[in-house]
Amino acid sequence: MEIVSLVRFLESADRIMNENREYLITLDSVVGDGDLGLTMGDGFRAAYMCVKDGTHTDAGKLLYDAGKAMSTAVPSTMGTLMASGLMQAGKALKGKDSLESHDWIILFEAYFDGVANRGKAKIGDKTFLDGLHPALDALRSAIEGGKTLEIAASEAARAAEDGFENTTTMIAVHGRAATRGEASRSLKDPGAAVAALLMKAFESSLVI
Amino acid sequence: MEIVSLVRFLESADRIMNENREYLITLDSVVGDGDLGLTMGDGFRAAYMCVKDGTHTDAGKLLYDAGKAMSTAVPSTMGTLMASGLMQAGKALKGKDSLESHDWIILFEAYFDGVANRGKAKIGDKTFLDGLHPALDALRSAIEGGKTLEIAASEAARAAEDGFENTTTMIAVHGRAATRGEASRSLKDPGAAVAALLMKAFESSLVI
Amino acid sequence: MKKIINQPENYVNEMLEGLYIAHPDLITYTNNDLRCLVTANKKEGKVGIATGGGSGHLPLFLGYVGKGMLDGCSVGDVFQSPSAEQMLAITKEIDSGAGVLYIYGNYNGDIFNFDMAAEMADFEEDIRVESVVAGEDVASAGPAAPGEKNTRRGVAGIFFVYKCAGAAADAMLDLDQVKAIAQKAAENVRTMGVALTPCIVPRVGKPGFELGEDEMEIGMGIHGETGIRRGRIEPADQIVEEMLDKIIADLPYVEGDEVDVLVNGLGATTLDEQYIVTRKINDVLSQKRIHVHKYYVGEYVTSLEMAGFSISLLKLDDELKKYMEAPAQTPFFVQL
Amino acid sequence: MKKIINQPENYVNEMLEGLYIAHPDLITYTNNDLRCLVTANKKEGKVGIATGGGSGHLPLFLGYVGKGMLDGCSVGDVFQSPSAEQMLAITKEIDSGAGVLYIYGNYNGDIFNFDMAAEMADFEEDIRVESVVAGEDVASAGPAAPGEKNTRRGVAGIFFVYKCAGAAADAMLDLDQVKAIAQKAAENVRTMGVALTPCIVPRVGKPGFELGEDEMEIGMGIHGETGIRRGRIEPADQIVEEMLDKIIADLPYVEGDEVDVLVNGLGATTLDEQYIVTRKINDVLSQKRIHVHKYYVGEYVTSLEMAGFSISLLKLDDELKKYMEAPAQTPFFVQL
Ligand SMILES: Nc1ncnc2c1ncn2[C@@H]1O[C@H](COP(=O)(O)OP(=O)(O)O)[C@@H](O)[C@H]1O
Ligand SMILES: Nc1ncnc2c1ncn2[C@@H]1O[C@H](COP(=O)(O)OP(=O)(O)O)[C@@H](O)[C@H]1O
Ligand SMILES: [Mg+2]
Ligand SMILES: [Mg+2]
Ligand SMILES: [Mg+2]
Ligand SMILES: [Mg+2]
């Protein structure tokens, strides 16, 4: 695969986040301050704008630059976490000028690590990670099990969606939602919704 | 007359101002900030307290000290003006250890000057002076016409009352009432009411 | 009334106790009376400068007592004059033979008491006292006709008068000279304010007036005295333009003038807003080619927790500039 | 919303423009970005100190950039973190080879961005960065268990951390030493606040929460974070006692300790009230034989026009005392 597939991924993320502005605002209004639709829409727009001219030749540099653009545009909690994910993915893919299927596992693993290192949240803390983590597992086992990247992405997207739904079993321990304690349990986590949208963007970027 | 007559005058002023606290508050609440009953009650109380022990032998010193006590107790507009009146009267009677009828004219003339010098108001400005001024004229002409001090005081008290009533022909140009301009005309001036009470106190201090 | 206070009767004295606790190196009191505040660093031979007035305006008045500014301040109840006797006690304490200058705002209660104190100082103590009355609020009255009494209220501009006079006295000028400089500062300063909300005198417990939810009053005084007009609140830039128009036309300040500018918060208005105002003032003055020597921004004269601000301009000459630039150290104003 | 502003979108930038206009001798900006504020008096060879955070807290954060305190501050929207890139731009500007110390409050957005900036500074610019996070609000969470992350909010106490670290850097200590002093200050400060009214973020236009006409909230954070309890407003002395009880027991501060005390107004609370509070603090601390070295009273960290105040205590040793006493000159804090 050419590294333009990364540009398509970010284009798709931009489109999907912006299609879901209101959805994310609504989710975040219940538990947080309601800005998530704006920050994710603006953030992934900035990330895509930074790479859309197609002049990047290094996959790692492309992702790192996209992350930096996002962090500058939206220095909010999730904005900075998503930027950290992209930048970490960039570091992991540094030097590559094309991508194998396996590189997508590396990308999302690094993305996960970037967010986890930055935010110090653990699985089960009711965050973005609880959407991305099951997706990563699904992606890994599908690809290692020999499935096509398209099918693997689609299974990952479904797993992320399930992970998001599953956040209603958890109590929030980070951010604004944490101040609610036990009362946060029944609410779906907006950050995990972003993970589901992100994997959906990955899936749809492969279907041209 | 002994200078104890001055103590009786201040005692009477103390009593009458305090009997009329609510009356003055009501008057001042219409045009000003409503504190006049408190300041005049407390002020003349302080003046009297300062001289009631009867140790003063100098009429001038007695009035000056009473004025200072008043100014310390109630540094409001009317408090300071009344203090200035008493202190000026004190300066005018300095050295006297007894009083002629004529000395009461000197006293109230000086009182008037003390207030006028301090406040820079003119006759017709709708102030205390418009109550005291006609009283002073009445006192002077009664005494110079050979009437007794008691009758002169009673005529002065009546003139002060008339002067007070007459303030409804004037527009206020000093203090809080002045901000009302023409609308101040129909209202009686609280400071002139104090002049009427002061002359009533003088009158009643002579009737033992 | 939402205030962090104890008994309203103790408001002023408890405030003063706290003030002496916090600033023992700069201020103390005389006459066994908390309300007779004097500098802790008396400078012998210097002209003494005293001020005074009602409480509720911190940092005014007492906050400017210290090195290079004022020597004493008598403190009244909230929005009430202190007494002549308190002023006299301070006068005696701060005089060291060179005489005393009173600088205070143009309010009847203060005028009457300071005049009385000056007479007592002369009559009883043989201390020479001179007075300069600050009255520079262009919204409060028209300019005084020649020979007539100035009926304008004194508001935040008095800070400039304190600063210039304080520095002149610190430079060991004599009483007439210090008075002349204070007078010159007073004559070259103009102020206007705007209020957005009323304030509550603790012993009264309710606002002295009301302002509608979207209303402001241009020109309102620091005790809630009526201003020039009430209207819907407008954008900051528009408010500043209206105020500066009136201020500039009044002296007038003209092209080529050099000024110091005081942007003063009345209590509840944020520093953010004060700087937004500063930005617009700078625009307007640049356009009119009035050069700004220095900006002072912050709460210099408040009206309890009133929301709003005032703008003061001081037209400088070399002399005033020198005294404005001199160092000062008081509880509320430090300049190196 | 009663504010002296123009378009809410321009609130922060217009405020900053005013700030640069008013203080050209002390501050400027880098990277062609008003929100990247740096000292106008860079001292070569010194450890650089940077802070940053959301707007709406003036004088925090930017107001402490100047001589003897901080070297740079990145400025976010109201109550929002600035970006890592802005922090990086400042880091590059203020580093002069001795490395840079970040001091900021314990809020996720700020932590994430400062961490990212530190990584970028190392990765992209080879600048050594260390961080000290202030989190001393005893009402916001329990103390951290050993080895656990401190989850307390950083509030007004950060002023003490700035002051000590700034003076240490000014004395040309190296990065590890400056960090150790900042860390010591951060570990020895405790704060608690009380709010009487909410505040309004300009772009939001309405209060983030409501407080009843006679209600206060003890322990509320400077963005309206939930406190310890809501109740009827009480006399000042009682409120101070409750707050000091919690603060003193937490470190704990004990008999014989020496402390600096910060009484901080949140925005609309008058200086009068802050001094009434000071008086009571002094009573309580005297009784407990905790010696006060110095009081700082005024608005140091606000929450827009919120009414309320906070108390911070810094336990001193000889080293911290020396750095607290060192001179400083910034737009909002001058100490001789
Ligand atoms: N430490 C963390 N690690 C990972 N995700 C986090 C962390 N803290 C918060 N989040 C995620 O961020 C989401 C909220 O993001 P955002 O709306 O940007 O926060 P805020 O507006 O409160 O700054 C939460 O739903 C959660 O999924
Ligand atoms: N310059 C003045 N000269 C004489 N009397 C004055 C002057 N100014 C005000 N007064 C009198 O003072 C009265 C109000 O006194 P007071 O209630 O003490 O004033 P305030 O409460 O406004 O300070 C007025 O009714 C008027 O008679
Ligand atoms: Mg949010
Ligand atoms: Mg009155
Ligand atoms: Mg204030
Ligand atoms: Mg304020």
Side-chain angles (χ1 to χ4, degrees):
Chain A
M1 281 175 101
E2 304 287 308
I3 72 166
V4 69
S5 61
L6 290 175
V7 178
R8 279 202 296 273
F9 166 46
L10 290 173
E11 178 182 19
S12 166
D14 170 20
R15 181 176 47 76
I16 289 186
M17 294 299 169
N18 278 295
E19 282 170 5
N20 285 280
R21 275 175 106 94
E22 289 308 318
Y23 166 66
L24 291 175
I25 286 174
T26 309
L27 277 175
D28 190 35
S29 297
V30 180
V31 288
D33 57 358
D35 61 353
L36 195 59
L38 308 178
T39 54
M40 292 299 94
D42 294 353
F44 280 97
R45 169 72 41 93
Y48 170 56
M49 287 300 153
C50 167
V51 303
K52 73 180 277 207
D53 67 0
T55 55
H56 278 89
T57 52
D58 179 330
K61 184 91 172 65
L62 183 154
L63 291 166
Y64 189 87
D65 287 353
K68 268 195 88 161
M70 164 112 92
S71 87
T72 301
V74 286
S76 66
T77 302
M78 272 294 282
T80 309
L81 290 173
M82 295 306 94
S84 301
L86 286 171
M87 289 165 79
Q88 189 68 30
K91 289 182 189 175
L93 296 182
K94 199 170 173 189
K96 305 225 171 189
D97 56 7
S98 69
L99 298 181
E100 310 293 307
S101 284
H102 185 76
D103 288 327
W104 288 97
I105 300 178
I106 295 178
L107 187 159
F108 285 111
E109 271 174 355
Y111 198 112
F112 180 94
D113 291 346
V115 175
N117 289 341
R118 179 72 60 230
K120 311 274 189 303
K122 294 185 291 291
I123 303 293
D125 281 357
K126 197 180 182 105
T127 71
F128 171 83
L129 298 181
D130 296 306
L132 186 60
H133 188 254
L136 189 50
D137 283 349
L139 184 71
R140 198 186 289 112
S141 66
I143 289 173
E144 286 169 2
K147 297 191 181 163
T148 66
L149 186 60
E150 286 74 8
I151 290 179
S154 147
E155 289 180 3
R158 210 158 334 121
E161 187 69 30
D162 291 347
F164 162 57
E165 297 289 340
N166 202 31
T167 57
T168 55
T169 63
M170 305 166 185
I171 296 176
V173 294
H174 299 277
R176 287 190 167 79
T179 61
R180 299 175 169 247
E182 178 58 40
S184 69
R185 192 189 297 271
S186 62
L187 304 166
K188 294 181 185 170
D189 179 60
V194 172
L197 294 175
L198 189 69
M199 295 319 290
K200 205 165 124 192
F202 172 42
E203 178 188 11
S204 82
S205 75
L206 299 174
V207 192
I208 329 159
Chain B
M1 282 172 97
E2 305 289 310
I3 71 163
V4 69
S5 60
L6 290 175
V7 178
R8 278 203 297 273
F9 166 47
L10 290 173
E11 178 181 19
S12 166
D14 170 18
R15 181 175 48 75
I16 287 184
M17 294 300 170
N18 279 294
E19 282 169 6
N20 286 280
R21 277 175 104 94
E22 289 308 319
Y23 165 65
L24 291 175
I25 286 173
T26 309
L27 277 175
D28 190 35
S29 296
V30 180
V31 287
D33 59 356
D35 61 353
L36 195 60
L38 309 177
T39 55
M40 293 298 94
D42 293 354
F44 281 97
R45 170 71 41 93
Y48 170 57
M49 287 301 153
C50 167
V51 303
K52 73 180 279 206
D53 68 0
T55 55
H56 278 89
T57 52
D58 180 331
K61 185 93 173 68
L62 183 153
L63 290 167
Y64 188 88
D65 287 354
K68 268 194 87 159
M70 164 111 92
S71 86
T72 301
V74 285
S76 65
T77 302
M78 272 293 283
T80 309
L81 289 172
M82 297 304 94
S84 302
L86 287 170
M87 289 165 78
Q88 189 67 31
K91 289 182 189 176
L93 297 181
K94 196 169 176 193
K96 304 227 171 188
D97 56 7
S98 70
L99 298 180
E100 311 292 308
S101 284
H102 186 76
D103 288 328
W104 288 97
I105 299 177
I106 294 176
L107 187 158
F108 285 110
E109 271 175 358
Y111 198 111
F112 180 95
D113 291 346
V115 175
N117 289 340
R118 179 71 62 227
K120 312 275 189 302
K122 293 184 293 292
I123 303 295
D125 281 356
K126 195 178 183 109
T127 72
F128 171 83
L129 298 180
D130 296 304
L132 186 60
H133 188 255
L136 188 51
D137 282 349
L139 184 72
R140 198 186 289 111
S141 70
I143 289 174
E144 285 169 2
K147 297 190 182 166
T148 66
L149 187 59
E150 285 74 8
I151 290 178
S154 146
E155 290 180 359
R158 209 155 338 118
E161 188 68 30
D162 291 346
F164 163 58
E165 298 289 342
N166 202 31
T167 55
T168 54
T169 63
M170 303 165 186
I171 295 176
V173 293
H174 299 277
R176 287 190 167 77
T179 61
R180 300 176 167 247
E182 179 58 43
S184 70
R185 193 189 296 273
S186 63
L187 304 166
K188 293 179 185 173
D189 179 61
V194 172
L197 294 175
L198 189 68
M199 296 319 289
K200 205 165 124 191
F202 172 42
E203 178 188 12
S204 83
S205 75
L206 299 173
V207 193
I208 330 163
Chain C
M1 175 175 56
K2 284 202 153 179
K3 289 183 191 281
I4 315 276
I5 58 173
N6 296 300
Q7 293 302 314
E9 303 79 76
N10 301 335
Y11 182 84
V12 172
N13 282 8
E14 289 184 357
M15 173 273 285
L16 287 167
E17 284 176 34
L19 205 82
Y20 294 115
I21 287 166
H23 309 286
D25 48 328
L26 290 173
I27 52 172
T28 181
Y29 55 93
T30 186
N31 212 28
N32 264 319
D33 182 351
L34 289 173
R35 297 181 178 210
C36 296
L37 188 149
V38 292
T39 176
N41 303 280
K42 186 173 173 180
K43 187 166 169 181
E44 283 304 321
K46 187 181 85 69
V47 169
I49 306 187
T51 190
S55 293
H57 302 301
L58 278 185
L60 193 72
F61 300 88
L62 51 167
Y64 301 113
V65 173
K67 300 179 191 164
M69 282 184 89
L70 309 178
D71 302 289
C73 176
S74 45
V75 178
D77 270 324
V78 175
F79 297 176
Q80 303 285 341
S81 177
S83 75
E85 205 207 332
Q86 290 167 321
M87 295 166 180
L88 179 64
I90 283 167
T91 308
K92 284 156 65 174
E93 180 67 30
I94 68 173
D95 176 55
S96 61
V100 171
L101 177 66
Y102 291 166
I103 304 175
Y104 56 92
N106 201 7
Y107 296 90
N108 270 345
D110 297 325
I111 296 170
F112 296 172
N113 282 292
F114 271 109
D115 280 353
M116 186 185 283
E119 283 165 25
M120 295 192 298
D122 174 45
F123 190 73
E124 301 175 18
E125 309 290 336
D126 244 329
I127 299 175
R128 199 177 142 215
V129 171
E130 293 289 337
S131 296
V132 170
V133 180
E136 72 328 332
D137 182 342
V138 300
S140 59
E148 284 284 292
K149 206 185 134 215
N150 176 15
T151 56
R152 286 178 166 173
R153 295 186 289 261
V155 282
I158 201 169
F159 164 76
F160 287 134
V161 186
Y162 291 160
K163 181 69 194 69
C164 292
D170 205 44
M172 301 307 276
L173 270 60
D174 71 23
L175 181 55
D176 290 325
Q177 292 168 320
V178 174
K179 181 184 178 181
I181 283 155
Q183 197 71 54
K184 195 205 282 183
E187 282 163 9
N188 283 286
V189 64
R190 293 293 183 277
T191 297
M192 193 154 138
V194 59
L196 265 53
T197 65
C199 60
I200 300 181
V201 174
R203 294 181 72 165
V204 176
K206 53 179 203 294
F209 60 94
E210 305 280 341
L211 265 168
E213 194 39 62
D214 60 353
E215 270 187 335
M216 62 173 182
E217 182 159 328
I218 299 258
M220 176 169 276
I222 53 172
H223 313 95
E225 295 92 342
T226 311
I228 290 182
R229 70 173 186 89
R230 255 183 207 214
R232 278 180 72 92
I233 187 164
E234 291 161 6
D237 286 359
Q238 211 168 311
I239 299 174
V240 169
E241 272 174 12
E242 177 170 354
M243 289 166 71
L244 275 183
D245 268 359
K246 293 250 169 28
I247 291 171
I248 290 173
D250 195 90
L251 188 64
Y253 300 87
V254 297
E255 185 170 333
D257 278 356
E258 190 172 14
V259 295
D260 275 341
V261 177
L262 172 60
V263 179
N264 173 58
L266 289 179
T269 286
T270 62
L271 271 169
D272 293 331
E273 291 159 86
Q274 293 169 44
Y275 282 104
I276 289 172
V277 162
T278 301
R279 170 189 159 277
K280 180 63 184 178
I281 293 173
N282 200 58
D283 271 6
V284 174
L285 295 183
S286 310
Q287 266 165 38
K288 299 199 186 279
R289 294 175 205 278
I290 296 170
H291 178 72
V292 179
H293 168 250
K294 187 165 176 178
Y295 283 95
Y296 296 83
V297 184
E299 291 180 358
Y300 283 78
V301 172
T302 63
S303 183
L304 295 169
E305 69 285 350
M306 192 183 276
F309 73 98
S310 66
I311 303 173
S312 303
L313 262 56
L314 171 68
K315 179 173 161 174
L316 296 168
D317 60 11
D318 288 346
E319 191 178 46
L320 293 183
K321 195 150 100 179
K322 178 175 77 186
Y323 294 124
M324 282 305 301
E325 283 175 355
Q329 188 191 6
T330 77
F332 294 103
F333 181 70
V334 184
Q335 183 169 281
L336 303 182
Chain D
M1 175 175 57
K2 284 201 154 179
K3 289 186 190 278
I4 317 275
I5 59 173
N6 298 301
Q7 293 302 314
E9 301 79 76
N10 301 335
Y11 182 84
V12 172
N13 283 9
E14 290 184 355
M15 172 273 284
L16 287 168
E17 286 176 33
L19 206 83
Y20 294 114
I21 288 166
H23 308 287
D25 48 328
L26 290 172
I27 51 172
T28 182
Y29 55 92
T30 187
N31 212 28
N32 265 319
D33 182 350
L34 289 172
R35 297 180 178 211
C36 295
L37 188 148
V38 293
T39 177
N41 304 278
K42 186 172 174 182
K43 187 167 169 180
E44 284 303 321
K46 187 181 87 66
V47 169
I49 306 187
T51 191
S55 293
H57 303 302
L58 279 185
L60 195 71
F61 301 84
L62 51 166
Y64 301 113
V65 173
K67 300 179 191 166
M69 281 182 90
L70 310 178
D71 302 290
C73 176
S74 45
V75 178
D77 270 325
V78 175
F79 297 176
Q80 302 286 342
S81 176
S83 74
E85 204 207 332
Q86 291 167 319
M87 295 166 180
L88 178 64
I90 284 166
T91 308
K92 283 156 65 175
E93 179 67 29
I94 69 174
D95 177 54
S96 60
V100 171
L101 178 66
Y102 291 165
I103 304 175
Y104 56 92
N106 200 7
Y107 297 89
N108 269 345
D110 298 324
I111 297 169
F112 295 172
N113 282 293
F114 271 109
D115 280 354
M116 187 185 285
E119 284 165 25
M120 296 192 296
D122 174 44
F123 190 73
E124 301 175 17
E125 309 289 336
D126 242 328
I127 299 174
R128 200 178 141 213
V129 171
E130 293 288 337
S131 296
V132 170
V133 180
E136 57 356 311
D137 183 342
V138 301
S140 58
E148 284 283 293
K149 204 186 135 213
N150 176 17
T151 56
R152 286 177 165 174
R153 295 186 288 262
V155 282
I158 200 169
F159 164 75
F160 288 133
V161 185
Y162 290 158
K163 181 68 194 70
C164 292
D170 203 43
M172 301 306 278
L173 270 61
D174 71 22
L175 181 55
D176 290 326
Q177 292 169 321
V178 175
K179 181 185 179 182
I181 283 155
Q183 197 71 54
K184 195 205 283 185
E187 280 163 11
N188 282 285
V189 64
R190 293 293 184 276
T191 298
M192 192 153 138
V194 59
L196 266 53
T197 65
C199 59
I200 300 181
V201 175
R203 292 181 74 166
V204 176
K206 53 181 204 291
F209 60 94
E210 305 280 340
L211 264 167
E213 192 40 62
D214 61 351
E215 269 187 336
M216 62 174 180
E217 182 159 328
I218 300 257
M220 175 169 278
I222 53 171
H223 313 96
E225 294 93 341
T226 312
I228 290 182
R229 71 174 185 88
R230 257 182 206 215
R232 279 181 70 93
I233 187 164
E234 290 162 6
D237 286 0
Q238 212 168 308
I239 298 173
V240 169
E241 272 173 11
E242 177 170 352
M243 289 165 69
L244 275 182
D245 268 0
K246 294 254 171 23
I247 291 170
I248 290 172
D250 195 88
L251 188 64
Y253 300 86
V254 299
E255 185 170 331
D257 278 355
E258 190 171 13
V259 295
D260 275 340
V261 177
L262 172 60
V263 179
N264 173 57
L266 289 179
T269 287
T270 62
L271 270 169
D272 293 332
E273 292 159 85
Q274 294 170 43
Y275 281 104
I276 289 172
V277 162
T278 301
R279 170 189 160 277
K280 180 63 184 179
I281 294 173
N282 200 58
D283 271 6
V284 173
L285 295 182
S286 310
Q287 266 166 39
K288 300 204 186 275
R289 294 176 206 279
I290 295 171
H291 177 71
V292 178
H293 168 250
K294 186 160 175 183
Y295 283 95
Y296 295 82
V297 184
E299 291 179 0
Y300 284 76
V301 173
T302 63
S303 183
L304 295 169
E305 70 286 349
M306 192 183 275
F309 72 98
S310 67
I311 303 173
S312 303
L313 262 55
L314 171 69
K315 180 173 159 175
L316 296 168
D317 60 12
D318 289 346
E319 191 178 45
L320 293 183
K321 195 150 99 181
K322 179 175 75 185
Y323 294 124
M324 282 305 301
E325 284 175 355
Q329 188 190 4
T330 77
F332 294 103
F333 181 70
V334 183
Q335 185 169 279
L336 303 182

